[in-house]
Amino acid sequence: MLTMLELCHITKKYKEVTALENVSLILQNGIYGLLGPNGAGKSTMMNLITGTLRPDGGSIRWNGADIRSLGAEYRSILGYAPQQQGLYDTFTGRRFLSYMAALKGISKKELPDELARVLAYVNLEAAADRPVGTYSGGMKQRILIAQAIMGAPKLIVLDEPTAGLDPKERVRIRERIKDLAGDKIILVSTHVVSDIEPIAREILLLKSGRLVDQGAVSALAARYEGAKNLEDVYMRVYGSD
């Protein structure tokens, strides 16, 4: 089933600072990379999409309906993995996922199968009964991805899923994200352009609160003279920012 998330002329201000200004875009099934330096508006956009913030202007629509009018229905199709936040170090991985499942309305009857599914997906079965505080950075990222995909959401938002990880862990997580694509919209905010380049349907480039460009990596590279890859595009758009 084709799904669609639409941002229509979104503006968000914090007092005198405009974090996003008149941003419009349409996302359909597939993986999208959200790029930009600190202060570009990435976190604000993710918080608006997840419903944590409300826009000062414009609207966000899921399959044509404003997300504010959908309420719990929208939250039921949403999976969000922040950057190693919201973890309870004294909880075991299993207890943490069970807690998140309860928040998502997953029934006790469904819970055992759902826990088994997501733990296997992120290869954490062996560590499920260890405290999360003993996990490595990569394992914490994987448990956050696991809770984000519980309940088979149609929209998944991932904030810096590979930040601070070693190269092998980054590749593992990138491949897990790639495997999720198909009938879902996946938005990945990242500073590591090499992690998103091989898997993204499109790249969204934010700068000073504006969407300055978007497109497939090949199309973006063709638009910037001499650019051979996404890293080159990034440097041409943002310089040393």
Side-chain angles (χ1 to χ4, degrees):
M1 176 183 175
L2 184 65
T3 52
M4 183 170 69
L5 180 73
E6 187 175 6
L7 276 64
C8 308
H9 305 290
I10 290 293
T11 295
K12 181 64 182 179
K13 296 182 179 181
Y14 301 101
K15 295 183 178 180
E16 302 302 316
V17 177
T18 301
L20 288 177
E21 186 171 359
N22 197 34
V23 172
S24 294
L25 58 89
I26 294 174
L27 307 183
Q28 296 180 316
N29 295 356
I31 300 171
Y32 295 81
L34 179 61
L35 301 185
N38 290 334
K42 301 191 304 297
S43 293
T44 296
M45 179 182 286
M46 288 186 295
N47 282 323
L48 288 165
I49 289 172
T50 58
T52 306
L53 294 175
R54 288 193 173 191
D56 295 315
S59 62
I60 300 176
R61 300 171 186 169
W62 176 257
N63 290 338
D66 192 303
I67 64 171
R68 285 178 290 181
S69 69
L70 292 173
E73 181 184 348
Y74 180 69
R75 292 191 294 274
S76 72
I77 60 90
L78 175 66
Y80 175 46
Q83 189 183 165
Q84 294 198 23
Q85 298 173 7
L87 289 168
Y88 300 88
D89 284 350
T90 59
F91 281 22
T92 66
R94 191 182 307 278
R95 185 182 177 194
F96 171 70
L97 291 176
S98 298
Y99 172 71
M100 297 305 296
L103 294 180
K104 292 188 174 196
I106 295 171
S107 71
K108 289 184 178 180
K109 182 179 179 181
E110 298 172 304
L111 182 60
D113 286 344
E114 188 67 359
L115 287 176
R117 180 182 74 87
V118 299
L119 284 167
Y121 192 84
V122 297
N123 194 27
L124 282 175
E125 302 104 314
D129 296 307
R130 281 172 45 192
V132 171
T134 68
Y135 285 10
S136 67
M139 293 167 73
K140 288 180 177 179
Q141 292 296 78
R142 282 187 275 151
I143 202 76
L144 283 168
I145 291 172
Q147 64 80 28
I149 65 173
M150 293 187 86
K154 295 297 184 182
L155 170 62
I156 299 174
V157 179
L158 306 174
D159 184 5
E160 298 285 355
T162 61
L165 304 184
D166 64 55
K168 287 184 178 179
E169 283 281 11
R170 292 198 344 243
V171 170
R172 288 192 193 101
I173 289 176
R174 183 183 73 200
E175 292 305 306
R176 294 288 81 186
I177 294 169
K178 180 182 177 181
D179 289 344
L180 289 171
D183 62 345
K184 297 175 176 60
I185 296 171
I186 304 174
L187 179 64
V188 182
S189 171
T190 183
H191 284 89
V192 187
V193 296
S194 59
D195 285 348
I196 196 65
E197 183 171 10
I199 63 174
R201 168 179 174 162
E202 287 191 4
I203 302 295
L204 313 173
L205 300 173
L206 276 181
K207 186 175 184 180
S208 301
R210 293 178 177 271
L211 184 66
V212 294
D213 212 339
Q214 74 178 97
V217 172
S218 58
L220 288 172
R223 287 204 284 272
Y224 295 88
E225 185 176 354
K228 297 179 181 178
N229 52 38
L230 187 56
E231 187 75 45
D232 291 343
V233 171
Y234 190 96
M235 291 302 297
R236 280 159 177 73
V237 174
Y238 302 111
S240 59
D241 286 352

